[in-house]
Each structure stands twice: as structure tokens, then as C-alpha cells.
Amino acid sequence: DSPLLPEAIENAEKAGRFLTDVDFDLAVSSPQKRALSTAKHAISQLKKQPPLEIDGDLREMGFGDWDGDLVADHIHDPEMIKIYKDPENYTGDKFNGESYYEVMERGKNYLRTVFERFPKGNILVVAHSLTISSVIGALLGDDFDTMLKRGMVDNTSVSIVETPDFKDFS
């Protein structure tokens, strides 16, 4: 959870400027330093700055005993390969990590509570690439093959997800 680089700060502010005319009712962020910093920089560029709530259910996938390690330390481990190539069968059990299903469920459950509070509102969600990609896939009802083909969202990218009822998403 290293601090944002100057380029990442610039990109977060760029995303905020892109969204400046959106009237957000609330901004929510992962508590992890990089996401929270991204949220604050993006929000600083909005004409109307919404309240910011922080929730652990938006955190990055938990890697258990591997948390804090570099990806390069495990790049050839069969479990690491499953993360990228076979997410449906990745469980994280071998090192006390979290599965995609767990990330998807906690993210969906949290967003459901936000939707219940603001059913017609605009919500700015700032989290992590893997978390956002997984949760959006789950909301859209995508299978893992579809999610793999779509790939992960880029850092500081903007994804727009709409729902009238928290059942149907586009």
C-alpha cells in the first residue's frame, strides 16, 4: 500500500475533472491508503464535493500470508497463476487468502446497503482494480470467462454502472 506516485495523483485529479459536473450524493472508498488518496484527489476536483465514507468491504482482495509481498515473489506459484488464469477455481485457501467469490459478495453486499440509502442517487466508488472489476462482473451477472475477456479496469479509470432496482445492471 505504497503512496501514490505524482502521475497517479494527476490521474486521480483528471478523473475528478472529468466527473466535475456529476452531482454525487456520496463518495465511498476503500480504507487502503492508495484508494483513499485517489478518492480525496478526485473529489477535490468536483464542483460539489460529496461526503466521503470509508468502508473495509471495498478493500483489495485479501492475500492472507502473502499480503505485503511483491507479486514477483509468487509469480510462478500455481495459486498465483490461478488468480489470473483460472479465477473460478482460485480459493486462496493455501495461504489464508480470499477468493473472488468472497470479494464479489462483500462488495455487492456493501453497495446494496449504499443503494438502499440512495436508491436514485449518484455514488462515486473508489476501490482497487481487482475489487472493482470483480464486483462489476458480479453485478452484471457475468461468468468468469466473460470477466477474463473484459480484463481488469485500469487504475483511475471511470466505469459507469446503472441500476433502477439493484437487480438489473448496465
Side-chain angles (χ1 to χ4, degrees), residues 51-133:
L52 174 62
E53 291 183 7
I54 301 161
D55 196 281
D57 284 337
L58 294 175
R59 71 189 180 282
E60 185 59 282
M61 177 184 274
F63 289 97
D65 301 336
W66 288 2
D67 271 336
D69 293 357
L70 298 174
V71 171
D73 295 341
H74 305 283
I75 199 71
H76 299 293
D77 189 293
E79 289 302 300
M80 180 63 79
I81 293 167
K82 271 190 198 176
I83 291 170
Y84 296 104
K85 303 282 186 190
D86 189 16
E88 189 169 9
N89 293 307
Y90 166 74
T91 64
D93 290 346
K94 294 194 176 169
F95 48 87
N96 301 307
E98 199 174 18
S99 73
Y100 278 93
Y101 292 108
E102 291 167 312
V103 172
M104 290 159 44
E105 280 306 301
R106 71 172 153 81
K108 277 177 31 180
N109 290 339
Y110 172 69
L111 292 177
R112 184 178 293 107
T113 66
V114 173
F115 178 82
E116 288 167 358
R117 291 170 47 209
F118 299 95
K120 303 279 188 215
N122 290 314
I123 310 301
L124 176 64
V125 178
V126 182
H128 310 274
S129 179
L130 190 147
T131 302
I132 293 170
S133 300

Side-chain angles (χ1 to χ4, degrees), residues 140-155:
L140 294 174
D142 292 344
D143 59 27
F144 281 103
D145 285 339
T146 302
M147 284 192 253
L148 278 173
K149 286 177 188 162
R150 183 182 306 114
M152 298 290 168
V153 297
D154 291 331
N155 289 334

Side-chain angles (χ1 to χ4, degrees), residues 12-28:
E13 291 174 353
K14 227 186 263 186
R17 287 191 296 277
F18 176 76
L19 297 167
T20 195
D21 291 325
V22 178
D23 188 12
F24 288 105
D25 296 279
L26 179 68
V28 295

